[in-house]
Amino acid sequence: MYRKCLNCAESIKKNIGEFKPEIAVVLGSGLGFFADSIDVKFSLNYSDIPDFPISTVKGHSGKFLFGYYGGRAVAVAKGRVHCYEGYSAAEAVMPIRVLRLLGAETVILTNAAGGINDSFNPGDIMLIRDHISLFIDSPLIGANIDELGARFPDMSGVYEPRLKKCASSVAKSLEITLKEGVYAQLKGPQYETPAEIKALEVLGADAVGMSTAVEAIAAVHAGMKVCGISVITNMAAGKTKSPLSHKEVIENSKKAEKNFCRLLDGIVKSI
Ligand code: HPA
């Protein structure tokens, strides 16, 4: 796996030369619009990188953008792969490890999530305080990649306190209501049942999704600072009478577009 990630990084370097991203941003389902405001220097489709995992879901176009945002060197991963597509957790986090190998020290992980906390509404933005990854495989299963990090990495502060503070103060100054909570990752691809959502609620989850926790684990393992932001695109199963649909998820992510972009703008500029 390490060799595969190194090869991907080498192949990207052939395209981006000396460019070294400082901050990486992973844009989730329907949240790709942030990419439009980047001063793009290099753009690379995932499908042009040998051995790189490719997303198969509609609305998850897969490419890396390398360039500048507010004077900072950034790498944006527009689209990601998920375990429900048949990838292992270790394959799903390859983009994170490759971004680390390219030099990124901080990663902002974004996703669409279902709201479990009753005070949330579709269109809300939630800062991830912590996560629950008990229902998914660890991306660190298998021989440890010593070059990246320790066999038994500490997970007591996955979402970096300074970045959380930074996100909260940016939201405050922009008068954006930023909810905060615990994100639970499930395997999917089916949405949860109401009973599963009740169980997650008892466990302390505020939002649920199918990505991000594995990425955060891989990022912390590799020594990156992590910031996590969820856009609440729907209330989770059983919280409303209407059935869940991917269409609703995409539509509601658009509703949050403006504030999501303003928030990311402020965070990237103040990191
Ligand atoms: N559940 C799981 N993943 C999701 C949801 C949900 O309700 N909404 C967006 N991604």
Side-chain angles (χ1 to χ4, degrees):
M1 183 45 78
Y2 185 53
R3 177 105 323 264
K4 262 193 186 176
C5 292
L6 278 177
N7 288 344
C8 291
E10 279 315 309
S11 144
I12 294 171
K13 275 185 193 161
K14 283 195 190 116
N15 291 272
I16 68 172
E18 292 299 303
F19 183 87
K20 184 175 170 249
E22 178 193 352
I23 302 168
V25 184
V26 180
L27 296 174
S29 284
L31 303 174
F33 33 73
F34 177 73
D36 298 339
S37 25
I38 287 153
D39 173 16
V40 178
K41 296 293 175 203
F42 310 96
S43 162
L44 200 57
N45 289 325
Y46 295 159
S47 56
D48 292 330
I49 308 165
D51 279 341
F52 201 78
I54 295 162
S55 48
T56 56
V57 187
K58 226 177 131 207
H60 293 239
S61 71
K63 62 168 133 174
F64 277 125
L65 303 172
F66 297 93
Y68 294 92
Y69 191 89
R72 313 298 292 270
V74 297
V76 173
K78 196 174 174 206
R80 55 158 65 94
V81 299
H82 301 80
C83 296
Y84 61 71
E85 294 175 76
Y87 290 106
S88 68
E91 286 168 330
V93 302
M94 277 178 67
I96 302 298
R97 289 173 157 170
V98 169
L99 287 164
R100 178 63 174 143
L101 292 171
L102 292 172
E105 285 164 12
T106 299
V107 63
I108 304 173
L109 302 172
T110 71
N111 62 48
I116 296 178
N117 187 316
D118 290 319
S119 75
F120 290 0
N121 289 300
D124 278 351
I125 303 178
M126 181 189 91
L127 179 66
I128 303 179
R129 184 191 324 126
D130 201 350
H131 72 223
I132 295 173
S133 70
L134 300 171
F135 303 106
I136 49 166
D137 281 342
S138 167
L140 309 182
I141 288 174
N144 184 50
I145 304 178
D146 296 330
E147 292 85 347
L148 290 179
R151 171 75 291 185
F152 300 109
D154 174 47
M155 292 288 148
S156 54
V158 173
Y159 300 88
E160 222 249 340
R162 204 185 63 81
L163 290 176
K164 281 192 279 197
K165 259 197 205 144
C166 161
S168 302
S169 65
V170 165
K172 204 169 168 203
S173 67
L174 294 173
E175 295 181 359
I176 294 172
T177 307
L178 185 61
K179 305 282 169 90
E180 202 182 306
V182 172
Y183 173 90
Q185 179 175 349
L186 266 65
K187 282 184 187 158
Q190 75 283 4
Y191 290 116
E192 301 70 32
T193 63
E196 286 163 346
I197 293 302
K198 262 193 202 161
L200 289 175
E201 198 165 12
V202 170
L203 292 179
D206 297 291
V208 59
M210 304 173 194
S211 63
T212 304
V214 278
E215 295 170 346
I217 292 167
V220 167
H221 173 252
M224 296 172 94
K225 296 186 204 86
V226 180
C227 179
I229 295 170
S230 294
V231 171
I232 305 300
T233 50
N234 56 282
M235 287 313 285
K239 292 283 172 187
T240 61
K241 292 201 174 68
S242 49
L244 271 59
S245 75
H246 183 56
K247 192 166 159 264
E248 178 194 7
V249 168
I250 299 295
E251 278 170 10
N252 279 330
S253 58
K254 287 207 171 65
K255 280 193 197 152
E257 171 173 349
K258 198 163 153 247
N259 278 344
F260 175 79
C261 286
R262 289 170 70 221
L263 186 66
L264 269 190
D265 170 274
I267 296 173
V268 172
K269 286 177 181 164
S270 61
I271 279 175

